[in-house]
Amino acid sequence: MPDLQTEMQKILQAWEEPETTETTEETTVFTSTTNTSRATFEMVRDEPGLPKKQYIRMLETKGHKKASTTSLLSQMIRQGYIWVDSSGCLRPNQTEYKPLKSVTTLKNKAKKANPVKTSKLRTSREPSKEALAAAAEAMSSIGRNGLMDLPIRSNIEVILDDISLSDAHALYRELHQYFGGLPK
C-alpha cells in the first residue's frame, strides 16, 4: 500500500500537467449583440414623431424588454437626448448616440453645482422667538378695526345663490337618496 505523501505528489503532478486531449471544437467568446440603449435612441432618431408606446411596441418585437425600453426612453427624455412635442410624440435632440449618464454622475454634478451651506441654515420648522415677537407686535398695532370682516359662508341662502340649476337638482336627488326619500 502506497503512503500518503507519494499519492499526494502524483495528484499534484497530474494537476500541473495540462491535458493533451485534442478537441476540434472552438471556444466561443460571447459578445454583446444587442445594445438596448443604442437601439432605443436609433429607433427614435430614424423614425421621429411617434408616441412613446409605439416605440416600446416596435422595440419589443425586435426582442428588447418592455421594461428596459420604457426606462431608457424616460431617462433619455430626462437627460435631454430626446424630447416630447406638444402632441406627445418623441423627437431626437441629436443625431448620434451617446451613452446615457449614470444617476450617480448626475447627482454628483448637481451637488457640485449647488453646494449646500449648512452652517447658517435653520433646521427647525418652528418660527424663532424674534419672529413671533415681531408678528405679535404687528398684529397688536393693527387692532380689530384694521382687519377686514370676511363673510362666513355657512348660510344656506348664500350657498344657493352660487349653485347652478343642474347642480342643485343633482344635490336634491342625492339628499333624498341619503335620507331615504327617493328610490334609485
Side-chain angles (χ1 to χ4, degrees):
M1 179 168 158
D3 65 339
L4 186 62
Q5 185 176 10
T6 55
E7 288 300 315
M8 289 298 285
Q9 285 177 351
K10 288 179 185 176
I11 291 172
L12 288 175
Q13 287 174 356
W15 277 352
E16 290 174 1
E17 295 174 7
E19 292 183 22
T20 58
T21 58
E22 293 183 26
T23 59
T24 57
E25 299 177 20
E26 295 180 10
T27 57
T28 27
V29 177
F30 292 102
T31 58
S32 176
T33 57
T34 60
N35 185 344
T36 307
S37 180
R38 179 181 297 276
T40 303
F41 175 77
E42 289 174 352
M43 179 73 69
V44 175
R45 183 194 64 197
D46 296 342
E47 299 183 35
L50 299 174
K52 187 175 181 179
K53 287 182 180 180
Q54 193 165 349
Y55 287 117
I56 294 168
R57 273 189 235 118
M58 291 166 60
L59 288 162
E60 200 172 9
T61 59
K62 291 187 176 188
H64 299 285
K65 293 182 181 176
K66 180 178 180 179
S68 299
T69 54
T70 304
S71 174
L72 285 168
L73 284 170
S74 297
Q75 287 178 23
M76 287 179 186
I77 292 169
R78 201 173 313 119
Q79 293 184 20
Y81 290 29
I82 56 179
W83 58 281
V84 182
D85 65 9
S86 60
S87 63
C89 297
L90 303 181
R91 308 228 179 245
N93 271 342
Q94 54 199 29
T95 57
E96 293 300 316
Y97 169 76
K98 292 180 190 171
L100 289 170
K101 298 171 187 157
S102 69
V103 175
T104 55
T105 304
L106 294 174
K107 285 181 182 177
N108 289 339
K109 281 186 179 180
K111 284 181 184 177
K112 289 178 184 175
N114 300 325
V116 177
K117 297 177 184 176
T118 57
S119 60
K120 293 185 180 180
L121 291 179
R122 284 183 51 93
T123 56
S124 173
R125 290 185 178 255
E126 295 183 22
S128 66
K129 291 179 182 177
E130 296 85 20
L132 287 173
E137 185 179 336
M139 293 297 284
S140 66
S141 67
I142 291 175
R144 178 73 181 139
N145 295 334
L147 296 177
M148 183 177 20
D149 290 328
L150 297 175
I152 299 173
R153 296 188 55 99
S154 63
N155 194 349
I156 190 69
E157 293 166 356
V158 176
I159 295 171
L160 289 176
D161 285 342
D162 293 338
I163 196 167
S164 70
L165 186 59
S166 61
D167 289 340
H169 183 67
L171 176 63
Y172 170 79
R173 292 188 60 82
E174 287 292 321
L175 287 173
H176 270 285
Q177 246 182 338
Y178 182 74
F179 291 110
L182 292 175
K184 197 171 193 181

